[in-house]
Short mmCIF file of all heavy atoms in Angstrom, two decimals:
data_model
loop_
_atom_site.label_atom_id
_atom_site.label_comp_id
_atom_site.label_asym_id
_atom_site.label_seq_id
_atom_site.Cartn_x
_atom_site.Cartn_y
_atom_site.Cartn_z
N ALA S 232 -8.69 12.20 9.30
CA ALA S 232 -9.37 10.89 9.34
C ALA S 232 -8.28 9.83 9.27
O ALA S 232 -7.49 9.78 8.33
CB ALA S 232 -10.34 10.74 8.19
N ILE S 233 -8.23 8.99 10.31
CA ILE S 233 -7.15 8.02 10.45
C ILE S 233 -7.73 6.61 10.47
O ILE S 233 -8.60 6.31 11.29
CB ILE S 233 -6.35 8.28 11.74
CG1 ILE S 233 -5.76 9.69 11.71
CG2 ILE S 233 -5.28 7.22 11.94
CD1 ILE S 233 -5.21 10.15 13.04
N LEU S 234 -7.24 5.76 9.57
CA LEU S 234 -7.57 4.33 9.60
C LEU S 234 -6.44 3.64 10.33
O LEU S 234 -5.29 3.66 9.88
CB LEU S 234 -7.71 3.77 8.19
CG LEU S 234 -8.83 4.35 7.32
CD1 LEU S 234 -8.77 3.75 5.92
CD2 LEU S 234 -10.18 4.10 7.96
N ASP S 235 -6.74 3.02 11.46
CA ASP S 235 -5.73 2.39 12.31
C ASP S 235 -5.93 0.88 12.29
O ASP S 235 -7.00 0.38 12.60
CB ASP S 235 -5.88 2.93 13.73
CG ASP S 235 -4.81 2.44 14.67
OD1 ASP S 235 -4.68 1.21 14.85
OD2 ASP S 235 -4.10 3.29 15.24
N GLY S 236 -4.87 0.16 11.92
CA GLY S 236 -4.97 -1.29 11.79
C GLY S 236 -4.53 -2.07 13.01
O GLY S 236 -4.40 -3.30 12.93
N SER S 237 -4.33 -1.41 14.13
CA SER S 237 -3.81 -2.11 15.31
C SER S 237 -4.78 -3.14 15.88
O SER S 237 -4.38 -3.99 16.67
CB SER S 237 -3.41 -1.09 16.40
OG SER S 237 -4.54 -0.34 16.81
N GLY S 238 -6.03 -3.11 15.45
CA GLY S 238 -7.01 -4.07 15.95
C GLY S 238 -7.16 -5.32 15.09
O GLY S 238 -8.05 -6.14 15.32
N ILE S 239 -6.29 -5.48 14.06
CA ILE S 239 -6.41 -6.60 13.14
C ILE S 239 -5.20 -7.51 13.27
O ILE S 239 -4.07 -7.04 13.31
CB ILE S 239 -6.50 -6.11 11.68
CG1 ILE S 239 -7.73 -5.23 11.49
CG2 ILE S 239 -6.53 -7.28 10.70
CD1 ILE S 239 -7.82 -4.59 10.13
N ALA S 240 -5.44 -8.80 13.32
CA ALA S 240 -4.36 -9.79 13.32
C ALA S 240 -4.31 -10.43 11.94
O ALA S 240 -5.22 -11.13 11.54
CB ALA S 240 -4.60 -10.84 14.39
N CYS S 241 -3.23 -10.18 11.20
CA CYS S 241 -3.06 -10.74 9.86
C CYS S 241 -1.90 -11.72 9.93
O CYS S 241 -0.77 -11.34 10.19
CB CYS S 241 -2.77 -9.63 8.86
SG CYS S 241 -2.45 -10.20 7.18
N GLY S 242 -2.17 -12.99 9.73
CA GLY S 242 -1.17 -14.02 9.91
C GLY S 242 -0.46 -14.44 8.65
O GLY S 242 -0.64 -13.88 7.57
N SER S 243 0.32 -15.47 8.79
CA SER S 243 1.10 -16.03 7.69
C SER S 243 0.18 -16.51 6.58
O SER S 243 -0.85 -17.14 6.83
CB SER S 243 1.95 -17.18 8.21
OG SER S 243 2.69 -17.75 7.17
N GLY S 244 0.54 -16.19 5.34
CA GLY S 244 -0.25 -16.61 4.19
C GLY S 244 -1.43 -15.72 3.88
O GLY S 244 -2.15 -15.96 2.92
N GLU S 245 -1.65 -14.67 4.68
CA GLU S 245 -2.75 -13.75 4.42
C GLU S 245 -2.23 -12.55 3.64
O GLU S 245 -1.04 -12.27 3.61
CB GLU S 245 -3.39 -13.30 5.73
CG GLU S 245 -4.10 -14.44 6.46
CD GLU S 245 -4.86 -13.93 7.66
OE1 GLU S 245 -5.96 -13.40 7.45
OE2 GLU S 245 -4.35 -14.06 8.78
N TYR S 246 -3.15 -11.81 3.04
CA TYR S 246 -2.79 -10.70 2.18
C TYR S 246 -3.44 -9.41 2.67
O TYR S 246 -4.65 -9.34 2.80
CB TYR S 246 -3.24 -10.97 0.75
CG TYR S 246 -2.56 -12.17 0.14
CD1 TYR S 246 -3.12 -13.44 0.28
CD2 TYR S 246 -1.37 -12.04 -0.54
CE1 TYR S 246 -2.49 -14.55 -0.28
CE2 TYR S 246 -0.74 -13.14 -1.10
CZ TYR S 246 -1.30 -14.39 -0.97
OH TYR S 246 -0.68 -15.47 -1.51
N GLY S 247 -2.62 -8.38 2.91
CA GLY S 247 -3.13 -7.06 3.26
C GLY S 247 -3.63 -6.97 4.68
O GLY S 247 -4.70 -7.46 5.00
N GLY S 248 -2.84 -6.33 5.52
CA GLY S 248 -3.20 -6.21 6.93
C GLY S 248 -4.50 -5.48 7.18
O GLY S 248 -5.27 -5.85 8.04
#
Side-chain angles (χ1 to χ4, degrees):
I233 300 168
L234 297 176
D235 185 301
S237 61
I239 299 174
C241 177
S243 179
E245 293 187 79
Y246 297 90

